[in-house]
């Protein structure tokens, strides 16, 4: 079916719009109240996918739901952001003052990461680590803790890469992809050829050659290479600017929440902004050959039901937080007028 992906993506978009609308109805106080239950649900789903999940290319990351293959790793990112926002709100002074305060958040990330690595899914594990690090920075954890956290994170990353031959091949392959264009460099060489064909203005919508079974995962991990081929540098620039505006707005919403002394809302919005930025940065960097290949989708662009639905949920959360901020500012303004 020529329109196989188009039809399924249309269903995903409709489900995403419905999800965004539903999350828009949930107040931030409810998210804060449910943080522990959401985190436990993420753990259960990560265990469930290891037991009954669908295996694709040697990775067991999806639970089949009929028309949708749900990926619990995407939900785990949202669950962690919500959980840490609540934790940092409750333990704000402790995190800022005590030297060993990063221990508990790290244990939480380690618990989720352990299940993700069993799938295996190193990319999502790194995203969780970045979300935690970014939120710790916003909370105001001590500098020495950050240095220790970065050293620990790099050490664990190096160990995970060196102990798995396929990860080591990916990590070294991106440095010289054309040295083995039909082996470890196959994906990246085809991705770079797609960007090269696109040049400034692209080949035109639907005129990509690399997506015709030359570039693996052209609709998910390497979607930006196809956009570059069909719409050129201008198309890539437009997508990056749109994503940048979304990230900037999320950070602004988080900052406004902190100014209004609503720490949970602020930490939640800022955690989402770190998540969206890092995932978009890694996906584009991977397609351009600046980073090793990892299975991370480009937010709100890549094909995939789980990714677009969960990302749409985060947009709904940001809209809700912004709405609550506006109501609070309006109430304060009326009090000042009175």
């Amino acid at each position: 079916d020529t329109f196989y992906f188009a039809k399924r993506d249309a269903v995903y978009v409709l489900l995403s719009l419905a999800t965004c609308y539903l999350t828009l109805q949930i107040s931030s106080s409810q998210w804060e109240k449910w943080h522990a239950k959401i985190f436990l649900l993420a753990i259960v789903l990560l265990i469930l996918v290891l037991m009954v999940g669908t295996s694709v290319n040697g990775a067991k990351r999806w639970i089949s739901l009929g028309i949708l293959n749900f990926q619990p790793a995407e939900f785990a990112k949202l669950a962690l952001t919500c959980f840490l926002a609540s934790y940092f709100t409750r333990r704000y002074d402790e995190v800022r003052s005590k030297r060993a305060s990063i221990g508990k958040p790290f244990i939480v990330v380690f618990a989720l990461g352990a299940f993700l690595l069993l799938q295996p899914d190193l990319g999502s594990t790194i995203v969780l680590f970045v979300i935690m690090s970014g939120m710790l920075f916003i909370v105001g954890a001590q500098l020495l803790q950050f240095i220790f956290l970065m050293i620990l994170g790099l050490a664990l990353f190096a160990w995970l890469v060196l102990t798995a031959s396929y990860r080591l091949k990916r990590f070294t392959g991106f440095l010289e992809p054309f040295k083995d264009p039909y082996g470890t460099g196959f994906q990246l060489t085809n991705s770079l050829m797609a960007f090269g064909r696109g040049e400034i203005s692209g080949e035109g919508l639907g005129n990509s050659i690399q997506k015709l079974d030359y570039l693996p995962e052209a609709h998910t991990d390497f979607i930006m290479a196809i956009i570059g081929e069909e719409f050129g540098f201008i198309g890539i620039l437009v997508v990056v600017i749109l994503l940048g505006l979304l990230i900037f707005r999320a950070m602004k919403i988080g900052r406004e929440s902190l100014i209004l002394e609503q720490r949970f809302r602020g930490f939640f919005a800022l955690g989402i902004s770190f998540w969206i930025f890092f995932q978009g940065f890694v996906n584009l960097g991977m397609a351009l050959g600046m980073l090793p290949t990892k299975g991370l989708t480009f937010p709100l662009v890549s094909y995939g039901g789980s990714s677009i639905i969960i990302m749409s949920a985060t947009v709904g959360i940001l809209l809700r937080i912004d709405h609550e901020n506006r109501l609070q500012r309006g109430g304060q303004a009326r009090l000042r007028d009175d």
Side-chain angles (χ1 to χ4, degrees), residues 111-165:
L112 289 174
F115 289 113
L116 288 171
L117 290 172
L118 290 173
Q119 297 181 5
D121 190 353
L122 178 59
S124 294
T125 305
I126 295 173
V127 172
L128 298 183
F129 185 82
V130 169
I131 292 171
M132 177 193 67
S133 301
M135 294 178 74
L136 277 168
F137 176 78
I138 293 298
V139 173
Q142 296 179 11
L143 179 61
L144 287 176
Q145 295 189 83
F146 272 105
I147 296 173
F148 174 76
L149 193 63
M150 292 302 107
I151 294 172
L152 181 60
L154 289 172
L156 287 172
F157 175 76
W159 179 75
L160 289 168
V161 170
L162 293 173
T163 53
S165 58

Side-chain angles (χ1 to χ4, degrees), residues 2-288:
T2 307
F3 295 98
Y4 173 82
F5 290 113
K7 290 175 181 177
R8 291 176 70 89
D9 213 30
V11 174
Y12 297 157
V13 169
L14 291 174
L15 289 173
S16 299
L17 292 173
T19 303
C20 183
Y21 176 78
L22 289 174
T23 52
L24 186 57
Q25 310 308 310
I26 303 172
S27 66
S28 60
S29 60
Q30 284 296 106
W31 285 102
E32 187 174 10
K33 181 180 178 181
W34 296 340
H35 74 277
K37 295 178 181 178
I38 293 171
F39 181 78
L40 289 174
L41 177 59
I43 292 287
V44 170
L45 290 173
L46 289 174
I47 295 172
L48 191 63
V49 75
L50 294 173
M51 296 171 61
V52 299
T54 303
S55 182
V56 179
N57 296 328
K60 189 177 284 188
R61 303 177 185 174
W62 296 269
I63 298 173
S64 180
L65 300 176
I67 63 169
L68 172 68
N69 286 329
F70 181 70
Q71 190 171 3
E74 296 298 324
F75 180 75
K77 297 168 189 174
L78 177 60
L80 176 71
T81 309
C82 180
F83 183 87
L84 289 181
S86 176
Y87 176 82
F88 290 143
T89 300
R90 291 179 284 109
R91 304 295 181 89
Y92 181 75
D93 295 327
E94 177 185 329
V95 174
R96 289 172 61 90
S97 59
K98 291 187 178 180
R99 291 184 178 181
S101 59
I102 64 169
K104 293 177 182 178
F106 182 80
I107 291 171
V108 170
V109 172
F110 183 82
L112 289 174
F115 289 113
L116 288 171
L117 290 172
L118 290 173
Q119 297 181 5
D121 190 353
L122 178 59
S124 294
T125 305
I126 295 173
V127 172
L128 298 183
F129 185 82
V130 169
I131 292 171
M132 177 193 67
S133 301
M135 294 178 74
L136 277 168
F137 176 78
I138 293 298
V139 173
Q142 296 179 11
L143 179 61
L144 287 176
Q145 295 189 83
F146 272 105
I147 296 173
F148 174 76
L149 193 63
M150 292 302 107
I151 294 172
L152 181 60
L154 289 172
L156 287 172
F157 175 76
W159 179 75
L160 289 168
V161 170
L162 293 173
T163 53
S165 58
Y166 75 95
R167 288 187 187 130
L168 185 60
K169 287 180 180 178
R170 282 184 179 182
F171 190 77
T172 56
F174 91 100
L175 297 173
E176 294 182 280
F178 289 96
K179 188 176 181 180
D180 187 14
Y182 297 103
T184 56
F186 184 73
Q187 288 179 309
L188 185 52
T189 52
N190 280 280
S191 177
L192 293 174
M193 283 190 279
F195 283 111
R197 292 190 74 249
E199 296 184 344
I200 300 297
S201 57
E203 294 289 325
L205 178 62
N207 293 329
S208 166
I209 292 177
Q210 294 304 115
K211 69 183 179 184
L212 304 177
D213 285 339
Y214 293 102
L215 177 60
E217 309 302 331
H219 55 310
T220 54
D221 299 348
F222 287 92
I223 188 66
M224 294 302 288
I226 304 305
I227 291 175
E229 185 179 5
E230 297 191 353
F231 298 100
F233 174 75
I234 295 173
I236 293 291
L237 189 63
V238 169
V239 174
V240 170
I241 289 173
L242 289 172
L243 187 73
L245 289 173
L246 175 61
I247 295 166
F248 175 78
R249 185 60 186 151
M251 296 186 76
K252 188 178 179 182
I253 290 170
R255 180 176 176 273
E256 289 173 347
S257 298
L258 294 178
I259 291 173
L260 293 169
E261 298 183 352
Q262 297 295 328
R263 288 175 181 166
F264 175 79
R265 299 200 307 236
F267 296 152
F268 203 1
L270 289 165
I272 289 172
S273 70
F274 295 136
W275 167 15
I276 296 174
F277 164 76
F278 183 75
Q279 196 155 314
F281 170 78
V282 170
N283 180 277
L284 183 56
M286 173 194 68
L288 288 168

